[in-house]
Amino acid sequence: MDSQRTILVIALLVLSFFMFQQWQLKGGNTPGIDRSSAPTEVSANGQSDVPSDVPAVDGDIPVAGGNGGVPAAETTAVQGDMITVETDVLRVKLSLRGGDLVQAELLQHAETLGEAERYTILYQRPGHLHIAQSGLIGPDGIDNSETRPVFRASQTRFEMNGDRLEVPLYFTKDDGTEIIKRYTFTRGDYAVQVAYDITNHSDAPKTVNFYGQLKQTMVDGGRSSMFMPTYRGAAYSSESNRYKKYSFSDIQDRNFSTNTPAGWVAMLEHYFVTAWVPDQESTNRLYTNRNALGEGMIGFIGPAHTIAPGQNIVLETALYMGPKDQARLRELAQHLNLTVDYGFLWWLAQPIYWLLSLLQSFVVNWGLAIILVTIIVKTLLYPLTKAQYVSMAKMRKIAPKMKEMRERFGDDRQKLSQAMMKMYQEEKVNPLGGCLPMLLQLPIFLALYWVLLESPEIRHADFMLWINDLSSRDPYFILPLLMGASMYLMQRLQPTPVTDPMQAKILQFMPVMFTVFFLFFPAGLVLYWLVSNIISITQMTYIYRQIDKKEALGHKKK
């Protein structure tokens, strides 16, 4: 097998890989839901216009306890009055009805490259919704199937001036129990502490459970394609599954419920994640649910807490809403960093990401970091590359003999194979010698592909000249065309013993096919392959010259 044939095998493997992963993602996507008869607006009194006959199983507020109780019948989020909170990285809106977080803008991330509009990770729009709800349920909870509490706030707008900002929301029950729902924001952090400060002023004990859930309209809002697949849906971590996706179609098919120490629940999208991280020292119930409006939920219920008369307790959890920052996610909860999903090649993608980040910290340019990674990879593979080109040179030398054998044995493939194996042994040629370096590059290529696809640091990362986003395709297709030209040059420089006309035509078509593939790949990935080809051409030229010099010197000695 020669190098050219290996390229064909790799091309088929790559194409098969992309088709397989797209098939997997299609299985997790939900077709668009017809919302023509579903209410999308909130009425003036703060109540949703929901039909009264919505069954209880379609509700939103979970039932406390660890026995997998059926959710009750509140059907959709309501706005009530809003307050706005702004930090250096977040601008959020809180609904006083329930104290839910119904909008969150990421101030350091643009919705579209070059535009002023910020990326909105939580929102409540006509026809589409993604919000973070939390509350107190159980025997004495204030959130139930009939009503949500309406909190009071001291002001309608809060702005961060120091390193921390506390936003308290107040509610008092009829029996005198005082509840403060407190959001605590930290400068530079996308994680928000959410706490319930409860003081029991009644003469009887009170029992409550803290719950938090993420609710989202179950339609695929991503921009997925064969070469840029993205997952949008739920995920969780439990004692038995350190990281498990639970797609919208899964939520539609069946409700999920499990008790686990620690754990977390999340909604994922391309480069960003929203996650509830409950008390990691407690046993929590994780669950999913859906309602009649096509909205899916994933959430947790904490353990029951009993508050004696006159006692005060504080129940806390964390809500993360931002880019998939692996270091910060790892700090918040075990396995939360796995929401940066590198697929089955995570074991290779993680060190590549680490190396890329390290190099970028020095050169301050992700494109230059990719070039340096390419140089390092090609340097490490050089001994194998040298063996590859030496093997190819030997194959070129015996090409006339191979042609003669094919003509002599004709269609007798068994005799032809035996004769060729004998010739390989006599000439000390390994026909597979050219395969290993290319096969080793394939997992590196795919791992780097996932790093570029999943790492938010590379989203909208500028390189130079016309490449202003390494995570997106080249807008002018210049890099793919240069890559195709470099591949064509490599093909012309490589000696090939292929004599079959059909094989020769297929091999000649390979640069065109690869160029078409790469038109849709992230620019950073095309940059890697282009630089790799340029280095390969340089190495090939050097090695062939050394071989020619050695052969010329041998002829002179004779």
Side-chain angles (χ1 to χ4, degrees), residues 280-398:
Q280 297 296 285
E281 302 298 322
S282 301
T283 295
N284 304 290
R285 180 156 71 95
L286 312 183
Y287 67 90
T288 64
N289 199 5
R290 75 275 185 195
N291 63 25
L293 302 180
E295 296 163 352
M297 289 142 272
I298 186 167
F300 77 92
I301 300 174
H305 294 270
T306 299
I307 313 158
Q311 185 185 8
N312 170 267
I313 67 168
V314 177
L315 307 179
E316 291 185 294
T317 189
L319 172 64
Y320 184 89
M321 41 191 176
K324 295 177 181 177
D325 182 339
Q326 295 185 58
R328 184 65 180 112
L329 295 174
R330 192 180 293 110
E331 291 174 354
L332 284 173
Q334 189 177 23
H335 307 316
L336 188 55
N337 62 301
L338 297 181
T339 54
V340 182
D341 190 355
Y342 291 142
F344 69 94
L345 288 174
W346 60 268
W347 52 272
L348 182 58
Q350 286 184 347
I352 288 177
Y353 170 79
W354 175 84
L355 180 59
L356 263 176
S357 300
L358 178 66
L359 294 172
Q360 193 274 341
S361 66
F362 289 103
V363 299
V364 200
N365 185 297
W366 285 102
L368 294 178
I370 291 171
I371 292 174
L372 291 176
V373 165
T374 312
I375 294 172
I376 291 172
V377 169
K378 295 297 290 185
T379 301
L380 293 175
L381 293 179
Y382 179 73
L384 293 174
T385 301
K386 183 177 180 181
Q388 170 193 3
Y389 293 137
V390 169
S391 175
M392 289 167 60
K394 291 180 179 179
M395 292 292 289
R396 175 180 58 181
K397 184 178 178 181
I398 64 173

Side-chain angles (χ1 to χ4, degrees), residues 271-282:
Y271 297 121
F272 301 98
V273 58
T274 309
W276 278 110
V277 182
D279 184 358
Q280 297 296 285
E281 302 298 322
S282 301

Side-chain angles (χ1 to χ4, degrees), residues 255-272:
N255 287 334
F256 160 79
S257 179
T258 186
N259 292 326
T260 181
W264 49 260
V265 295
M267 286 288 188
L268 308 182
E269 53 195 276
H270 197 192
Y271 297 121
F272 301 98

Side-chain angles (χ1 to χ4, degrees), residues 12-74:
L12 294 174
L13 286 173
V14 171
L15 183 59
S16 300
F17 167 76
F18 288 122
M19 293 178 69
F20 172 72
Q21 70 178 5
Q22 186 65 14
W23 172 79
Q24 283 188 311
L25 283 168
K26 287 296 182 185
N29 289 340
T30 303
I33 296 173
D34 181 8
R35 299 181 57 90
S36 59
S37 61
T40 58
E41 299 291 348
V42 177
S43 62
N45 64 2
Q47 300 295 329
S48 58
D49 299 321
V50 181
S52 58
D53 59 347
V54 175
V57 73
D58 291 328
D60 293 2
I61 304 299
V63 173
N67 60 356
V70 178
E74 199 216 5

